[in-house]
Amino acid sequence: QVQLVESGGGLVQAGGSLRLSCTASGQTFSIYRMGWFRQAPGKEREFVAAIGWRVWTTEFAGSVKGRFTISRDNAKNTVYLQMNSLKPEDTAVYYCAADVTGPNWGYWGQGTQVTVSS
């Protein structure tokens, strides 16, 4: 079992920056990769970014590439999502996820709200 807790969400103006954090606990040794997803009201959940847990490989959705950065600190069992040049369309609940078997995402955090005003 893996437990995930997100933090760092909030309200920011367009063009601003925000950093989200996700701390994992439990059987963290089994994590293959971690990532971020988001879901806006009336929209389906969409992939944002992912990072390998043992090997530093990253992946980004086209809509955030060049603006968002994903990183990790294994000593703290934490993954970060640095969001720059935020746009109103980035407004959503952001969820941290862990993949322990690949290719499916099996564990999810509770979500943290990010609101970008114009």
Side-chain angles (χ1 to χ4, degrees):
Q1 290 282 354
V2 175
Q3 295 80 43
L4 305 173
V5 179
E6 304 100 330
S7 64
L11 175 65
V12 65
Q13 291 188 336
S17 298
L18 204 62
R19 187 179 72 163
L20 306 182
S21 299
C22 173
T23 299
S25 61
Q27 300 177 12
T28 57
F29 62 88
S30 64
I31 296 176
Y32 171 69
R33 61 176 177 166
M34 295 187 68
W36 292 92
F37 293 75
R38 66 187 183 186
Q39 186 169 22
K43 303 284 188 177
E44 293 186 350
R45 181 185 63 191
E46 66 174 340
F47 170 80
V48 176
I51 186 169
W53 202 238
R54 295 183 65 252
V55 179
W56 196 299
T57 55
T58 59
E59 181 182 357
F60 298 92
S63 59
V64 305
K65 195 170 186 177
R67 298 189 297 119
F68 290 11
T69 300
I70 187 170
S71 61
R72 58 172 168 80
D73 185 340
N74 294 67
K76 297 180 180 180
N77 290 321
T78 300
V79 63
Y80 305 94
L81 184 67
Q82 178 67 47
M83 305 183 293
N84 299 321
S85 301
L86 283 163
K87 305 174 181 179
E89 63 196 67
D90 294 318
T91 295
V93 176
Y94 283 70
Y95 296 92
C96 177
D99 181 359
V100 299
T101 59
N104 298 319
W105 299 91
Y107 298 92
W108 299 84
Q110 82 287 352
T112 185
Q113 177 71 48
V114 172
T115 302
V116 183
S117 62
S118 60

